[in-house]
């Protein structure tokens, strides 16, 4: 921080505005400072930091000449709200003639810029491009050129102007964007080829599966299971697609049948119920490249007529559940778990059963509607207890 100086936020001759970001804090090395929630402005020559509104008023703010910056790096941190990236600016020692600043001395050889949700990608990119352009060296370089042979002045000046300045930054960004577009186009070309080959791969998997059935006596069950797991890990399936049907009704009926066959065993393993969000993830994972939209999945689930059906809870949550699923039995099982623990919160039941919070909450609400349990809402949250008024043991 001893590289910063107090200066008015005004542009000097040949200096131009580049980018800005808000809610930025500065670290002196790894140590926090009092300079938080400020606005940072990047120019071709300097980096300004000020409290909100100070830079707009051209007030005295913190100023770091970009000539002090040796290199940039990043660090990623995680907190309760997610991940964010900080910019680390590695600095050379301050000049003896540096104007006064917030720190007279500092052991740190770098500073960090951080925001509440990380600095914007645009600001980070602009900072890197500006440092690469090194526009602040133009004056010194022009003086050096003038001292050289006159015949080389125009050529050398043109080279510098091409590499540096706002124009140089814009040209570099334009070239980078063009390269990105070319890479995206190439990626989609590769994806198109892969999708064209997918049908051949499906046919190959069918052929191999048929041979496995024919050679069942010569191939062990373990080898068969292992081979099928390899095929599933590749996402190779024979999904139902619209291309094979002339009407939406036939398409959704066939899709519903495939979903039923695909999810019957997993739903049984989960206790007879699976949230629609989990259904969406599992189905699209198994379908590979032929992804389903949420609307198509919902329409197909509405066509299910056994042994799985779509259920809507009063809360609005939707799940797939077995037709044999009995709310009375679920309520009794939930009551047993509440009695064993004396009381249960939604997250505690979810951990016990290995199910989502949504399903755990609906189980408790079903038990409550059937009079098995009752709720207690307090500052500690929502908990469920056995309903002693209806189920008290009378000795």
């Amino acid at each position: 921080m001893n590289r910063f100086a107090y200066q008015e936020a005004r542009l000097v001759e040949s200096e131009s505005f580049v980018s800005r970001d808000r809610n930025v804090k500065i670290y002196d090395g790894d140590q926090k400072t009092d300079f938080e929630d400020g606005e940072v402005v990047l120019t071709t020559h300097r980096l300004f930091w000020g409290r909100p509104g100070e830079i707009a008023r051209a007030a005295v703010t913190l100023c770091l000449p970009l000539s002090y910056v040796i290199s940039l790096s990043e660090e990623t941190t995680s907190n309760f709200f997610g991940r964010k990236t900080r910019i680390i600016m590695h600095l050379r020692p301050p000049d003896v003639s540096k104007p006064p600043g917030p720190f007279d001395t500092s052991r740190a050889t770098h500073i960090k810029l951080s925001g509440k949700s990380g600095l914007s990608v645009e600001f980070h990119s602009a900072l890197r491009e500006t440092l690469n352009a090194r526009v602040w060296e133009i004056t010194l370089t022009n003086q050096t050129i003038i001292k050289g042979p006159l015949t080389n002045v125009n050529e050398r000046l043109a080279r510098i102007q091409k590499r540096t300045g706002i124009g140089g930054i814009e040209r570099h960004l334009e070239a980078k964007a063009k390269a990105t577009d070319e890479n995206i186009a190439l990626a989609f070309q590769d994806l198109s080829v892969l999708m064209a080959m997918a049908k051949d791969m499906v046919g190959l998997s069918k052929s191999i599966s048929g041979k496995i059935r024919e050679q069942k006596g010569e191939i062990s069950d373990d080898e068969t299971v292992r081979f099928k797991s390899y095929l599933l890990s590749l996402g190779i399936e024979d999904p139902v697609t619209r291309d094979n049907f002339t009407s939406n009704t036939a398409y959704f009926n066939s899709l519903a049948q495939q979903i039923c066959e695909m999810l019957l065993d997993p739903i049984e393993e989960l206790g007879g119920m699976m949230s629609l969000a989990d259904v969406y993830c599992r189905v699209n994972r198994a379908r590979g490249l032929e992804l389903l939209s949420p609307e198509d999945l919902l329409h197909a689930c509405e066509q299910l007529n056994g042994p799985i059906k779509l259920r809507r809870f009063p809360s609005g949550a939707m799940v797939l559940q077995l037709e044999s699923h009995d709310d009375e039995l679920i309520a009794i099982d939930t009551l047993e778990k509440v009695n064993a623990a004396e009381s249960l919160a939604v997250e505690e039941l979810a951990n016990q059963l290995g199910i989502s919070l949504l399903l755990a909450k609906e189980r408790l609400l079903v038990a409550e509607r059937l009079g098995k349990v009752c709720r207690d809402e307090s500052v500690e949250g929502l908990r469920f207890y056995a309903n002693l008024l209806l189920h008290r043991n009378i000795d």
Side-chain angles (χ1 to χ4, degrees), residues 113-125:
L113 301 180
S114 177
K116 289 184 178 180
S117 57
L119 292 172
S120 66
V121 177
E122 293 79 8
F123 181 84
H124 191 177
S125 177

Side-chain angles (χ1 to χ4, degrees), residues 7-13 15-16 18 41-48 63-67 127 130 136:
Q7 292 185 3
E8 289 186 353
R10 297 180 184 274
L11 297 179
V12 299
E13 185 180 357
E15 184 179 21
S16 302
V18 177
V41 169
L42 174 68
T43 73
T44 53
H45 293 61
R46 296 175 291 176
L47 183 75
F48 292 95
C63 175
L64 175 69
L66 296 183
S67 57
L127 177 59
T130 302
W136 60 88

Side-chain angles (χ1 to χ4, degrees), residues 113-299:
L113 301 180
S114 177
K116 289 184 178 180
S117 57
L119 292 172
S120 66
V121 177
E122 293 79 8
F123 181 84
H124 191 177
S125 177
L127 177 59
R128 190 173 295 276
E129 297 295 337
T130 302
L131 290 174
N132 289 337
R134 307 185 73 80
V135 180
W136 60 88
E137 294 182 351
I138 288 181
T139 303
L140 178 61
T141 308
N142 283 344
Q143 292 174 357
T144 305
I145 290 176
I146 292 173
K147 293 178 181 178
L150 294 177
T151 55
N152 296 330
V153 169
N154 293 334
E155 180 183 351
R156 296 174 66 185
L157 182 59
R159 272 204 311 272
I160 293 173
Q161 291 176 342
K162 185 176 181 180
R163 292 196 312 268
T164 60
I166 299 300
I169 296 173
E170 291 177 347
R171 283 190 292 271
H172 185 81
L173 291 175
E174 183 180 354
K176 190 174 182 180
K178 184 178 179 181
T180 301
D181 291 340
E182 292 176 353
N183 291 336
I184 292 174
L186 182 61
F188 275 106
Q189 289 177 3
D190 295 341
L191 182 59
S192 300
V193 174
L194 180 59
M195 293 180 69
M197 295 178 61
K199 293 183 179 179
D200 295 334
M201 296 298 291
V202 169
L204 177 61
S205 67
K206 283 183 176 180
S207 174
I208 295 175
S209 298
K211 291 181 180 180
I212 288 178
R213 286 193 294 270
E214 294 174 2
Q215 304 292 333
K216 189 173 182 180
E218 301 179 12
I219 301 178
S220 67
D221 291 338
D222 290 341
E223 291 173 332
T224 303
V225 171
R226 190 183 307 119
F227 181 77
K228 288 182 177 179
S229 69
Y230 293 157
L231 292 181
L232 287 175
S233 67
L234 291 172
I236 299 176
E237 282 290 328
D238 188 10
V240 174
T241 61
R242 288 183 180 272
D243 298 338
N244 300 326
F245 298 91
T246 57
S247 68
N248 286 338
T249 302
Y251 166 64
F252 286 124
N253 286 337
S254 297
L255 184 58
Q257 181 180 355
Q258 188 175 67
I259 291 174
C260 181
E261 295 172 354
M262 184 186 307
L263 297 180
L264 182 58
D265 290 340
I267 290 178
E268 288 179 349
E269 293 173 0
L270 291 175
M273 191 181 297
M274 181 183 293
S275 69
L276 210 58
D278 291 336
V279 170
Y280 179 78
C281 294
R282 284 177 177 260
V283 169
N284 276 326
R285 169 65 182 86
R287 288 174 64 89
L289 296 173
E290 298 290 347
L291 301 181
L292 279 179
S293 68
E295 292 80 7
D296 283 357
L297 179 68
L298 179 58
H299 290 324

Side-chain angles (χ1 to χ4, degrees), residues 1-4 6 28 33 35 98 100-106:
M1 285 292 295
N2 61 335
R3 281 74 163 177
F4 280 92
Y6 289 122
D28 181 28
T33 67
F35 303 104
K98 182 188 78 67
F103 285 69
D104 294 330
T105 59
S106 175

